[in-house]
Amino acid sequence: MIVPVADLSHPGLQPYAHLTEAQLRNRLEPDQGIFIAESPKVIRVALDAGYQPVSLLCEEKHIAGQAADIVARLGELPVYTGSRALLASLTGYELTRGVLCAMHRPQLPSVEQLCQKQKRIVVVDNVVNSTNTGAILRAAAALGMGAVLFSPTCCDPLNRRSVRVSMGTVFQIPWTYIPTWPRPAMEQLNGLGFKTVALALTATAVPIDHPALVAEERLAIVLGTEGDGLTQSTIESCDYRAIIPMQRGVDSLNVAAAAAVAFWQLRPRS
């Protein structure tokens, strides 16, 4: 259903302009929570993965253009549309692809449900940068990780920028939150058959290509925050500690870059 927008007061525009990320998430009432997906490619991935749309915000020229198939899939749901200048004033920036979609947040699985059949999982602890979160999700999906677990202090994986940086892989790779990290969640992972390896600069760390790591049947790769990394208690709780050997005096990589290296090296071999 096409809904032309002449000004910014239309109540249907609230999710796109007037609500903060926290208000969109609405964790107190998760069944009512929504998020915003941006660009036709990302929106298609979300729809293909079964995510349920609420409405679309689209430049006029894209309704019969690059978003035509998305508009058709929305059926009778509202498709708000206006000029590029109006939409830029609404969202506060020029829309790079001219299409936004408000979607219902999914019901997240439990840790047990998510990890039951996986050989490699990722645990992300206190990573608060949405760009890094999106990049980690994209690398995990591309490099064979089975699932991603986020500690409660992490950036929201469905944050608008995180979704965009992930190129929609947040809709493809299974993920959920892991409560009460690191304990008793660490024991829970061990009980599910996983050994844990912390990416950490410690004296007891082994190289990331150590044969023992590659040989583990089920392995959880644990990543820490951008600045300080993992806490000492988390590092000590893990079965292994590993480093990526560096050259030219470089001590470490950005967490998203380090994640990609680790995922490739420790990917499941069968």
Side-chain angles (χ1 to χ4, degrees):
M1 179 175 62
I2 307 301
V3 183
V5 175
D7 59 60
L8 307 183
S9 63
H10 194 291
L13 300 181
Q14 276 199 331
Y16 302 100
H18 306 305
L19 299 181
T20 66
E21 289 284 351
Q23 289 170 327
L24 287 171
R25 185 167 61 247
N26 196 3
R27 283 185 171 173
L28 294 178
E29 297 180 75
D31 291 341
Q32 299 179 27
I34 61 176
F35 69 94
I36 305 296
E38 181 180 347
S39 89
K41 180 178 180 179
V42 169
I43 294 167
R44 288 187 192 102
V45 174
L47 293 173
D48 290 345
Y51 282 69
Q52 298 299 309
V54 175
S55 65
L56 198 72
L57 177 64
C58 183
E59 280 187 54
E60 292 170 330
K61 66 179 182 180
H62 294 316
I63 291 178
Q66 62 176 318
D69 62 311
I70 297 172
V71 172
R73 293 176 71 170
L74 262 62
E76 293 303 309
L77 292 176
V79 177
Y80 301 107
T81 184
S83 68
R84 186 175 183 84
L86 178 66
L87 299 193
S89 66
L90 172 67
T91 60
Y93 58 90
E94 292 287 323
L95 300 184
T96 56
R97 295 293 181 268
V99 187
L100 298 174
C101 187
M103 293 187 156
H104 291 290
R105 284 180 171 267
Q107 183 71 41
L108 295 177
S110 68
V111 172
E112 292 85 353
Q113 291 171 325
L114 201 68
C115 298
Q116 201 169 42
K117 298 180 180 179
Q118 306 300 341
K119 292 185 176 181
R120 294 291 185 269
I121 63 171
V122 181
V123 179
V124 184
D125 181 22
N126 200 31
V127 171
V128 297
N129 181 283
S130 57
T131 298
N132 284 334
T133 300
I136 290 169
L137 284 161
R138 188 174 182 182
L143 299 173
M145 299 298 104
V148 182
L149 307 178
F150 292 94
S151 74
T153 54
C154 282
C155 164
D156 175 20
L158 292 176
N159 170 284
R160 185 184 300 186
R161 182 167 181 81
S162 176
V163 170
R164 185 168 69 249
V165 172
S166 82
M167 291 301 293
T169 54
V170 66
F171 309 127
Q172 296 173 319
I173 187 167
W175 64 272
T176 195
Y177 286 102
I178 186 167
T180 61
W181 181 261
R183 295 185 180 278
M186 192 76 76
E187 289 82 355
Q188 182 183 22
L189 292 179
N190 290 150
L192 292 169
F194 287 93
K195 295 289 188 178
T196 52
V197 54
L199 264 61
L201 299 173
T202 68
T204 58
V206 299
I208 198 71
D209 59 353
H210 194 283
L213 295 176
V214 177
E216 287 291 352
E217 182 177 353
R218 309 188 84 192
L219 190 65
I221 302 167
V222 185
L223 308 170
T225 186
E226 293 87 347
D228 299 326
L230 295 166
T231 65
Q232 192 60 36
S233 62
T234 298
I235 294 170
E236 292 174 355
S237 297
C238 286
D239 299 295
Y240 298 99
R241 287 144 292 281
I243 57 170
I244 300 169
M246 300 280 130
Q247 299 183 34
R248 295 186 173 87
V250 178
D251 63 350
S252 64
L253 298 174
N254 164 274
V255 64
V261 173
F263 299 163
W264 169 254
Q265 179 59 46
L266 300 175
R267 69 194 185 282
R269 297 307 203 267
S270 61

